[in-house]
Coordinates of all heavy atoms in Angstrom, one line a residue:
F110 N 22.1 5.5 24.5 CA 22.6 5.4 25.8 C 23.1 6.8 26.3 O 22.7 7.3 27.3 CB 23.7 4.4 25.8 CG 24.5 4.4 27.2 CD1 23.8 4.0 28.4 CD2 25.8 4.9 27.2 CE1 24.6 3.9 29.5 CE2 26.4 4.8 28.4 CZ 25.8 4.5 29.6
D126 N 35.3 7.6 36.8 CA 35.2 6.1 36.8 C 33.7 5.7 36.6 O 32.9 6.1 37.3 CB 35.7 5.5 38.2 CG 37.1 5.6 38.3 OD1 37.6 6.8 38.7 OD2 37.8 4.7 38.2
A127 N 33.6 4.7 35.5 CA 32.2 4.2 35.3 C 32.3 2.8 35.7 O 33.3 2.2 35.4 CB 31.8 4.5 34.0
L128 N 31.2 2.2 36.2 CA 31.2 0.8 36.5 C 30.0 0.3 35.7 O 28.8 0.6 35.8 CB 30.9 0.5 38.0 CG 30.7 -0.9 38.4 CD1 31.8 -1.9 38.0 CD2 30.5 -1.0 40.0
V129 N 30.4 -0.7 34.8 CA 29.4 -1.3 33.8 C 29.2 -2.8 34.2 O 30.2 -3.4 34.3 CB 29.9 -1.2 32.4 CG1 28.8 -1.8 31.5 CG2 30.1 0.3 32.0
L130 N 27.9 -3.1 34.5 CA 27.7 -4.4 34.8 C 27.1 -5.2 33.6 O 26.2 -4.8 33.0 CB 26.6 -4.5 35.9 CG 26.9 -3.7 37.2 CD1 25.6 -3.7 38.1 CD2 28.1 -4.2 37.9
G131 N 27.7 -6.4 33.3 CA 27.4 -7.0 32.0 C 28.4 -6.9 30.9 O 29.0 -5.8 30.8
A132 N 28.6 -7.9 30.0 CA 29.5 -7.9 29.0 C 29.0 -8.5 27.6 O 29.7 -9.1 27.0 CB 30.8 -8.5 29.4
G133 N 27.6 -8.3 27.5 CA 27.1 -8.9 26.3 C 27.1 -7.8 25.1 O 27.8 -6.8 25.2
A135 N 24.8 -5.4 24.6 CA 24.3 -4.1 24.9 C 25.5 -3.4 25.6 O 25.7 -2.2 25.4 CB 23.1 -4.2 25.8
S136 N 26.3 -4.1 26.4 CA 27.4 -3.7 27.0 C 28.5 -3.0 26.1 O 29.2 -2.0 26.3 CB 28.1 -4.7 28.0 OG 29.3 -4.2 28.6
R137 N 28.6 -3.6 25.0 CA 29.6 -3.2 24.1 C 29.3 -1.8 23.5 O 30.1 -0.9 23.4 CB 29.5 -4.2 22.8 CG 30.7 -4.3 21.9 CD 30.4 -5.5 21.0 NE 30.7 -6.7 21.6 CZ 31.9 -7.4 21.5 NH1 32.8 -6.9 20.9 NH2 32.0 -8.5 22.1
A138 N 28.0 -1.6 23.2 CA 27.6 -0.2 22.8 C 27.8 0.7 24.0 O 28.3 1.9 23.8 CB 26.0 -0.2 22.5
V139 N 27.5 0.4 25.3 CA 27.7 1.2 26.4 C 29.1 1.7 26.6 O 29.5 2.9 26.7 CB 27.2 0.7 27.6 CG1 27.6 1.3 28.9 CG2 25.6 0.6 27.7
V140 N 30.0 0.7 26.5 CA 31.4 0.8 26.6 C 31.9 1.8 25.6 O 32.7 2.8 25.8 CB 32.2 -0.5 26.8 CG1 33.8 -0.2 26.8 CG2 31.8 -1.3 27.9
F141 N 31.5 1.6 24.4 CA 31.9 2.4 23.3 C 31.5 3.8 23.5 O 32.3 4.8 23.3 CB 31.4 1.9 21.9 CG 31.9 2.6 20.7 CD1 33.2 2.3 20.2 CD2 31.3 3.6 20.1 CE1 33.6 2.9 19.0 CE2 31.7 4.3 19.0 CZ 32.9 4.0 18.5
L143 N 30.8 5.3 26.3 CA 31.6 6.0 27.4 C 33.1 6.4 27.0 O 33.5 7.4 27.4 CB 31.8 4.8 28.6 CG 30.3 4.6 29.3 CD1 30.6 3.6 30.3 CD2 29.7 5.9 29.9
I148 N 35.2 9.2 29.2 CA 35.2 8.7 30.5 C 36.7 7.9 30.6 O 37.0 7.1 29.9 CB 34.0 7.7 30.8 CG1 32.8 8.4 30.6 CG2 34.2 7.2 32.3 CD1 32.6 9.7 31.4
R150 N 38.1 5.8 33.1 CA 38.3 4.4 33.4 C 36.8 3.8 33.4 O 35.9 4.3 34.1 CB 38.8 4.2 34.8 CG 40.3 4.6 34.9 CD 40.9 4.4 36.3 NE 40.4 5.4 37.2 CZ 40.9 6.6 37.4 NH1 42.2 6.9 36.8 NH2 40.4 7.5 38.2
V151 N 36.8 2.8 32.6 CA 35.5 2.1 32.7 C 35.7 0.6 33.2 O 36.6 -0.2 32.7 CB 35.0 1.9 31.1 CG1 33.7 0.9 31.1 CG2 34.8 3.2 30.4
H152 N 35.2 0.4 34.3 CA 35.3 -1.0 34.9 C 34.2 -1.8 34.6 O 33.0 -1.5 34.7 CB 35.3 -0.9 36.6 CG 36.3 0.3 37.0 ND1 37.6 -0.1 37.1 CD2 36.1 1.6 37.3 CE1 38.3 1.1 37.6 NE2 37.4 2.1 37.6
L153 N 34.5 -3.0 34.1 CA 33.5 -3.9 33.4 C 33.4 -5.1 34.3 O 34.4 -6.1 34.3 CB 34.1 -4.2 31.9 CG 33.2 -4.9 31.0 CD1 31.9 -4.1 30.8 CD2 33.8 -4.9 29.7
A154 N 32.3 -5.3 34.9 CA 32.1 -6.5 35.8 C 31.0 -7.4 35.1 O 30.0 -7.0 34.7 CB 31.6 -6.1 37.1
N155 N 31.4 -8.7 35.0 CA 30.6 -9.7 34.5 C 30.7 -11.0 35.3 O 31.7 -11.4 35.7 CB 30.9 -9.9 33.0 CG 29.8 -10.5 32.3 OD1 28.7 -10.1 32.4 ND2 30.1 -11.6 31.4
A161 N 34.2 -10.2 29.8 CA 34.6 -8.9 30.2 C 36.0 -8.7 29.8 O 36.3 -7.6 29.2 CB 34.5 -8.8 31.8
L164 N 36.1 -8.2 26.0 CA 35.6 -6.8 25.6 C 36.6 -5.8 25.9 O 36.9 -4.9 25.1 CB 34.2 -6.5 26.4 CG 33.3 -5.9 25.5 CD1 31.8 -6.3 26.1 CD2 33.3 -4.4 25.7
V172 N 39.7 0.3 29.6 CA 38.6 -0.6 30.2 C 39.2 -1.8 31.0 O 40.2 -2.4 30.6 CB 37.8 -1.3 28.9 CG1 36.7 -2.1 29.4 CG2 37.4 -0.1 28.1
F173 N 38.6 -1.9 32.2 CA 39.3 -2.8 33.2 C 38.3 -3.9 33.5 O 37.2 -3.7 34.2 CB 39.7 -2.1 34.4 CG 40.7 -1.0 34.2 CD1 40.1 0.2 33.9 CD2 42.0 -1.1 34.1 CE1 41.0 1.4 33.6 CE2 42.9 -0.1 33.8 CZ 42.4 1.2 33.5
P174 N 38.6 -5.2 33.2 CA 37.6 -6.3 33.5 C 37.7 -6.5 35.0 O 38.7 -6.6 35.6 CB 38.1 -7.4 32.7 CG 39.5 -7.2 32.4 CD 39.8 -5.7 32.4
V175 N 36.6 -6.8 35.7 CA 36.5 -7.1 37.1 C 35.6 -8.3 37.4 O 34.5 -8.4 36.8 CB 36.2 -5.9 38.1 CG1 37.3 -5.0 38.2 CG2 34.9 -5.4 37.6
L177 N 32.4 -10.1 39.4 CA 31.3 -9.6 40.0 C 31.5 -9.3 41.4 O 31.0 -8.5 42.0 CB 30.1 -10.5 39.8 CG 29.2 -10.3 38.6 CD1 28.0 -11.2 38.7 CD2 28.8 -8.8 38.5
V180 N 32.8 -6.0 42.8 CA 32.0 -4.8 42.5 C 31.9 -3.8 43.8 O 32.0 -2.6 43.7 CB 30.6 -5.1 42.0 CG1 29.6 -4.0 42.3 CG2 30.7 -5.5 40.6
L183 N 34.6 -1.3 44.2 CA 34.6 -0.2 43.3 C 33.5 0.7 43.3 O 33.7 2.0 42.9 CB 34.5 -0.9 41.8 CG 35.7 -1.5 41.3 CD1 35.4 -2.4 40.1 CD2 36.7 -0.4 40.8
A187 N 32.6 5.0 41.9 CA 32.0 4.9 40.6 C 31.0 6.2 40.4 O 30.1 6.3 41.3 CB 31.2 3.7 40.5
L189 N 29.4 6.8 37.8 CA 28.3 6.2 36.9 C 28.2 4.8 37.2 O 29.2 4.0 37.0 CB 28.6 6.7 35.6 CG 27.5 6.1 34.5 CD1 26.2 6.9 34.6 CD2 28.2 6.3 33.1
L190 N 27.0 4.3 37.3 CA 26.8 2.8 37.5 C 25.8 2.5 36.4 O 24.6 3.1 36.3 CB 26.2 2.4 38.8 CG 25.8 1.0 39.0 CD1 27.0 0.0 38.9 CD2 25.0 0.8 40.3
V191 N 26.1 1.4 35.5 CA 25.2 1.0 34.4 C 25.0 -0.4 34.5 O 25.8 -1.2 34.6 CB 25.9 1.4 33.0 CG1 25.0 1.1 31.8 CG2 26.6 2.8 32.9
N192 N 23.6 -0.7 34.5 CA 23.3 -2.2 34.4 C 22.8 -2.5 33.0 O 22.0 -2.0 32.4 CB 22.1 -2.6 35.3 CG 21.7 -4.0 35.2 OD1 22.6 -4.8 35.1 ND2 20.4 -4.2 35.1
T193 N 23.8 -3.5 32.3 CA 23.4 -3.9 31.1 C 23.0 -5.3 31.1 O 22.8 -6.0 30.0 CB 24.6 -3.7 30.1 OG1 25.6 -4.8 30.2 CG2 25.3 -2.4 30.2
T194 N 23.0 -6.0 32.3 CA 22.6 -7.4 32.5 C 21.1 -7.4 32.4 O 20.4 -6.4 32.5 CB 23.0 -8.1 33.8 OG1 22.3 -7.5 34.8 CG2 24.5 -7.7 34.0
T218 N 22.1 4.1 36.0 CA 21.2 4.0 34.8 C 21.1 2.4 34.5 O 22.0 1.7 34.7 CB 21.7 4.7 33.5 OG1 20.8 4.5 32.5 CG2 23.1 4.3 33.1
L220 N 19.5 -0.4 31.7 CA 19.0 -0.7 30.3 C 17.7 -1.4 30.3 O 17.0 -1.3 29.3 CB 20.1 -1.4 29.5 CG 21.1 -0.5 28.8 CD1 21.7 0.5 29.7 CD2 22.1 -1.3 28.0

Side-chain angles (χ1 to χ4, degrees):
F110 171 69
D126 289 78
L128 174 56
V129 178
L130 309 173
S136 173
R137 207 172 277 269
V139 164
V140 171
F141 186 83
L143 294 176
I148 303 302
R150 286 179 293 271
V151 178
H152 307 276
L153 193 56
N155 198 46
L164 221 151
V172 184
F173 304 91
V175 286
L177 268 190
V180 159
L183 282 165
L189 177 70
L190 174 66
V191 187
N192 177 40
T193 78
T194 74
T218 183
L220 271 52

